Amino acid sequence: MTQFFLDSAWLIPCYALLGAILAVPWSPAIINRTGPRPAGYINMLMTFIAFLHGLLALLAIWNQPAQSVVIPWLQVVDLDLSIPVEMSAVTIGATMVITGLNFLAQIHAIGYLETDWGWARFYSLLALFEAGMCALVLCNSLFFSYIILEILTLGTYLLVGFWFNQSLVVTGARDAFLTKRVGDLVLLMGVIGIYPLSKTWNFSELADWASTVNLDPKVAALVGLALLAGPMGKCAQVPLHLWLDEAMEGPVPSTILRNAVVVCTGAWVLIKLQPVIAISPVAVSAVILIGAVTAVGGTMVAIAQIDIKRTLSYLVSAYLGLVFIAVGTGQIQTALLLLLTYAAAMGLLVMSTGTVIWNSITQDVTQLGGLWAKRPACGLSYLVGAAGLIAVPPLGGFWAFLQLGDSLFTSHPKLFALVLVVNALAAFSLLRVFGLVFGGQAKQMAQRSPEAHWPMVFPMILLMGFTLHVPLLLATWNLLPEWVSVNPTVAASLMLSSAIGGGAAVYLYLSSQVEKPIRFGSKDLQDFFAYDLYTQKLYRGTVVFLVDLISRTISWVDRYIVDGLANLVAFMTMFSGQSLKYNVSGQTQFYALTILLGVALFGFLLSLPILSRLSLIIGS
Amino acid sequence: MELQLQYFLLLAAALFCLGIYGLITSRNAVRVLMSIELLLNAVNLNLMGFSNFIDPIGIKGQVFTVFVITVAAAEAAVGLAIVLSIYRNRDTIDMEQFNLLKW
């Protein structure tokens, strides 16, 4: 029986797609009498079915080798575009994480979007995301991964632009689309560039090819860098990271999904491409460099934010930077583990802060405070999420960090130090937000702040439970290292870095001896991080400026030179017509003169040979 | 100096040029008609000259001349009638006033 569910695992993305279509009739333009709520309920049902299907399929594939199904799509000449679907414990498990988190985000949205009419659009887009992500993890082909990434980019544009009457939403959606699109386009160059070399887009065949191939280092580096650019934009890595900050203008429930899983789609593709990127040492060092810069920069910028959603969005960039580091050093398993623990914890954090925002209205952490006593559920969820993200021993993040640290400790000690720094900074950032939001004295915006209603708290508590159970799950799956093999130095330094970072934040933000708002060093430096390293100005000064200048120039050339030439011809014709008409003077005698002159000229031309001979005769 | 064909032809050509000059520059319509008569006479002179010097036996040119004189008379009659009718309508025979067809 379960075998049937495994064989039909390719249906998992289809449920969500069906839900996306079924939600559409409840848009206000079609059904406006009954309200939009059924759209949400249908999608929750579809997501739940997809989740159950995934669960049954996972039971069937457990401890079994991976199975693959090929769905024919298009065959032209010698190009065979079939969709290979890979069903392994990892991919089915990933669909469960996606559908599970989406289910929780959808319940949360029922509470959060209670006073909103746009459920049909919202739930359709959430379902599109769910379908896209499930299809991405199931499909085993670089080409189709690219297609799905592009569809998800469009989905991001529409979902960030959900409340499109706000101007910041419109610019945010624009930036999210264009920035991700740039990455995707360069990825397309890589996808197309790799085909003549490998003759396949199938990830497993690519891995086989990469293990034996002997490629020109320059070609390998270029292909590797192009393939890196897609995940770089998707995962909001430096320098393509501004979009994630601006995408925080979208609704909170979609942020749960985006922060927890959507940004991981890029990391998933990067993990799958790891063997190809590993061919070129240049590409590998680029992956590590980008990851390292983003991880440090993201955590530093997160510390300097006052918008509660943005403090988390920069941590998203930072943690995906760590995934980049893991992929760059060849640790696929660690990267997947990091993604799993991160997705649960970040989903929980966004859910908790979203619940706070919902009835505290402001997103400014300096306007909040003292919520711990009033809102224990949110506070506990936040703490568990924070603990699950940084290296705090029993929880998931610790084991992922431990695996990462273990392999970096001996091979790349500098990177290990960097991971410690990132962990400390992330701990500082998370506990700073905790101190500002839940600790201290209540500010005006947070003086009367009741706990939210059940559709928002229930999924949060459920996700908290899942985050707490992650280590137990890892233990059942035998993914935890044996106690004897744990390097005590690594474990101790990780815990120490969390303690230092977290402790410093607790001391600075919860102690009444430190004056608030806190100033770190010079104001310029603080502003530098608060304004995200002035990335927006950087974009405007470089790429946007150049493209704008070039398009204005081309538009000018088109309008005045190309069009002008064509218009000049027409103008000349009109002008000559206008002026030559004066030949028709109306004077009969003038016509007679014209005729005579014509005849005379004609006669002269006819007699030209004779005249020339005449001159010869006279000359002689 | 003996009379030669060339002299006749040159005289006729000169007469023709005078006629053309008059035809194009005259403002009076009747003078235009008179210039046309000059042109026809120049032609007649040519025909007579060629007839006498080249074809003295058949004198076909003289026959043509008679025809030309006849047609010239008819043409003068029609031309004067046209001028008269224009004059009745427009009260002028100034050639430069007849420019209804200008641009």
Side-chain angles (χ1 to χ4, degrees):
Chain A
M1 186 60 198
T2 49
Q3 186 60 37
F4 165 74
F5 287 107
L6 180 60
D7 291 339
S8 58
W10 51 270
L11 272 175
I12 295 174
C14 301
Y15 298 121
L17 268 189
L18 189 64
I21 295 165
L22 288 180
V24 171
W26 277 276
S27 6
I30 302 175
I31 297 179
N32 57 6
R33 282 165 187 265
T34 60
R37 301 184 77 93
Y41 303 147
I42 289 172
N43 271 294
M44 277 174 56
L45 181 70
M46 286 300 170
T47 308
F48 192 63
I49 293 173
F51 182 77
L52 282 185
H53 193 146
L55 185 65
L56 293 169
L58 188 66
L59 290 178
I61 195 80
W62 197 248
N63 287 331
Q64 305 285 323
Q67 294 188 13
S68 63
V69 180
V70 174
I71 302 170
W73 188 54
L74 182 69
Q75 268 184 320
V76 278
V77 203
D78 57 345
L79 186 63
D80 179 16
L81 291 177
S82 305
I83 309 173
V85 178
E86 190 196 66
M87 291 170 297
S88 64
V90 174
T91 60
I92 302 277
T95 64
M96 285 189 61
V97 173
I98 292 163
T99 50
L101 268 170
N102 198 30
F103 185 60
L104 296 180
Q106 281 174 335
I107 304 178
H108 193 262
I110 285 195
Y112 194 90
L113 291 183
E114 200 177 23
T115 54
D116 193 289
W117 269 82
W119 285 36
R121 205 149 44 87
F122 183 78
Y123 278 95
S124 286
L125 289 170
L126 274 196
L128 177 73
F129 265 102
E130 187 198 330
M133 286 187 290
C134 289
L136 180 80
V137 295
L138 285 175
C139 102
N140 194 25
S141 151
L142 178 58
F143 183 73
F144 289 99
S145 296
Y146 165 76
I147 291 183
I148 295 164
L149 283 188
E150 286 284 37
I151 295 173
L152 291 184
T153 301
L154 176 66
T156 304
Y157 178 71
L158 297 172
L159 198 50
V160 175
F162 180 61
W163 289 314
F164 49 77
N165 56 351
Q166 300 176 12
S167 58
L168 281 177
V169 163
V170 176
T171 53
R174 175 200 68 192
D175 290 352
F177 183 73
L178 292 179
T179 316
K180 290 170 87 171
R181 195 86 175 76
V182 166
D184 286 348
L185 271 183
V186 181
L187 174 64
L188 178 62
M189 292 180 202
V191 169
I192 291 176
I194 205 169
Y195 191 75
L197 302 171
S198 65
K199 301 288 174 219
T200 177
W201 277 318
N202 190 307
F203 281 124
S204 6
E205 289 170 23
L206 273 178
D208 291 345
W209 166 78
S211 61
T212 56
V213 74
N214 188 14
L215 216 56
D216 179 12
K218 274 182 196 162
V219 174
L222 284 176
V223 167
L225 289 176
L227 292 175
L228 167 62
M232 200 170 96
K234 272 277 170 210
C235 294
Q237 299 293 299
V238 169
L240 300 178
H241 64 286
L242 182 68
W243 73 267
L244 191 64
D245 170 276
E246 291 185 72
M248 294 300 121
E249 299 292 341
V252 171
S254 64
T255 310
I256 299 170
L257 202 62
R258 179 175 325 107
N259 282 6
V261 265
V262 175
V263 286
C264 299
T265 52
W268 179 272
V269 173
L270 189 74
I271 290 169
K272 289 264 191 177
L273 283 174
Q274 193 272 338
V276 179
I277 289 175
I279 299 175
S280 158
V282 179
V284 168
S285 15
V287 173
I288 295 176
L289 180 71
I290 289 168
V293 170
T294 314
V296 178
T299 44
M300 301 277 268
V301 173
I303 289 171
Q305 297 300 307
I306 55 162
D307 184 321
I308 191 167
K309 287 174 85 179
R310 286 175 165 80
T311 58
L312 294 178
S313 82
Y314 285 103
L315 284 182
V316 170
S317 291
Y319 270 80
L320 286 161
L322 292 180
V323 174
F324 268 53
I325 292 178
V327 172
T329 49
Q331 308 170 62
I332 291 179
Q333 286 303 324
T334 311
L336 287 171
L337 180 63
L338 197 56
L339 280 185
L340 173 71
T341 59
Y342 153 84
M346 182 53 80
L348 184 56
L349 283 171
V350 181
M351 232 180 241
S352 157
T353 52
T355 311
V356 169
I357 292 168
W358 188 68
N359 47 13
S360 299
I361 300 163
T362 183
Q363 288 176 213
D364 187 342
V365 283
T366 61
Q367 303 289 317
L368 295 163
L371 290 182
W372 177 253
K374 290 171 232 166
R375 309 192 64 169
C378 282
L380 265 179
S381 300
Y382 186 90
L383 274 188
V384 170
L389 206 57
I390 56 179
V392 174
L395 292 172
F398 175 72
W399 302 108
F401 270 108
L402 191 63
Q403 268 195 21
L404 188 65
D406 258 344
S407 79
L408 291 181
F409 186 59
T410 44
S411 57
H412 303 79
K414 282 181 189 163
L415 281 181
F416 178 64
L418 184 124
V419 169
L420 287 183
V421 169
V422 169
N423 185 42
L425 289 174
F428 184 91
S429 163
L430 286 166
L431 284 172
R432 163 183 173 267
V433 174
F434 180 80
L436 285 171
V437 175
F438 294 100
Q441 289 296 312
K443 307 266 170 50
Q444 199 175 11
M445 293 298 283
Q447 261 167 0
R448 272 184 271 171
S449 184
E451 194 59 278
H453 56 172
W454 74 266
M456 300 174 76
V457 176
F458 171 66
M460 187 169 77
I461 301 298
L462 216 56
L463 193 53
M464 178 162 75
F466 178 69
T467 313
L468 288 172
H469 279 78
V470 163
L472 294 177
L473 285 175
L474 295 180
T476 10
W477 296 339
N478 299 320
L479 283 174
L480 293 190
E482 297 289 326
W483 277 113
V484 281
S485 69
V486 172
N487 186 335
T489 326
V490 174
S493 43
L494 279 170
M495 285 188 270
L496 192 64
S497 75
S498 307
I500 291 174
V506 167
Y507 169 70
L508 284 175
Y509 289 95
L510 289 181
S511 142
S512 52
Q513 284 145 11
V514 185
E515 200 185 334
K516 316 280 186 314
I518 296 173
R519 297 251 161 250
F520 294 98
S522 76
K523 177 145 187 352
D524 287 344
L525 194 68
Q526 206 170 345
D527 278 353
F528 181 63
F529 287 113
Y531 289 104
D532 178 22
L533 323 178
Y534 296 112
T535 307
Q536 197 158 14
K537 281 189 181 169
L538 185 75
Y539 285 0
R540 279 187 199 289
T542 53
V543 180
V544 177
F545 173 75
L546 264 183
V547 173
D548 183 60
L549 186 72
I550 294 170
S551 13
R552 277 176 202 279
T553 315
I554 290 177
S555 161
W556 186 89
V557 168
D558 189 40
R559 182 166 306 168
Y560 291 102
I561 296 189
V562 177
D563 287 6
L565 272 177
N567 286 345
L568 184 68
V569 173
F571 177 77
M572 292 294 281
T573 318
M574 274 163 59
F575 177 77
S576 51
Q578 285 292 339
S579 46
L580 285 178
K581 75 180 179 188
Y582 295 109
N583 276 339
V584 186
S585 58
Q587 302 288 341
T588 324
Q589 288 162 300
F590 183 73
Y591 302 159
L593 178 65
T594 317
I595 293 168
L596 266 164
L597 285 179
V599 170
L601 190 66
F602 186 61
F604 175 74
L605 287 177
L606 275 186
S607 54
L608 207 57
I610 305 165
L611 287 178
S612 59
R613 217 175 299 149
L614 199 67
S615 68
L616 279 178
I617 294 163
I618 291 165
S620 64
Chain B
M1 187 179 78
E2 194 183 337
L3 276 178
Q4 290 180 355
L5 176 60
Q6 286 90 320
Y7 302 152
F8 288 94
L9 296 186
L10 283 174
L11 174 66
L15 202 57
F16 193 85
C17 288
L18 279 177
I20 291 290
Y21 178 75
L23 178 75
I24 287 166
T25 54
S26 311
R27 292 184 65 175
N28 190 323
V30 180
R31 248 169 86 172
V32 172
L33 287 178
M34 285 159 69
S35 305
I36 292 172
E37 293 304 318
L38 265 188
L39 295 181
L40 290 168
N41 286 336
V43 171
N44 286 342
L45 206 54
N46 262 7
L47 287 171
M48 288 303 289
F50 278 119
S51 164
N52 286 355
F53 281 87
I54 292 174
D55 185 27
I57 314 295
I59 51 166
K60 296 182 196 83
Q62 299 194 10
V63 180
F64 270 117
T65 308
V66 172
F67 276 112
V68 170
I69 290 167
T70 319
V71 172
E75 177 252 295
V78 175
L80 279 170
I82 289 172
V83 169
L84 202 62
S85 87
I86 290 174
Y87 178 74
R88 282 183 185 151
N89 282 317
R90 312 216 34 182
D91 273 343
T92 176
I93 51 168
D94 186 346
M95 287 299 280
E96 290 184 8
Q97 302 294 313
F98 310 147
N99 57 359
L100 286 176
L101 280 177
K102 77 172 176 188
W103 53 84

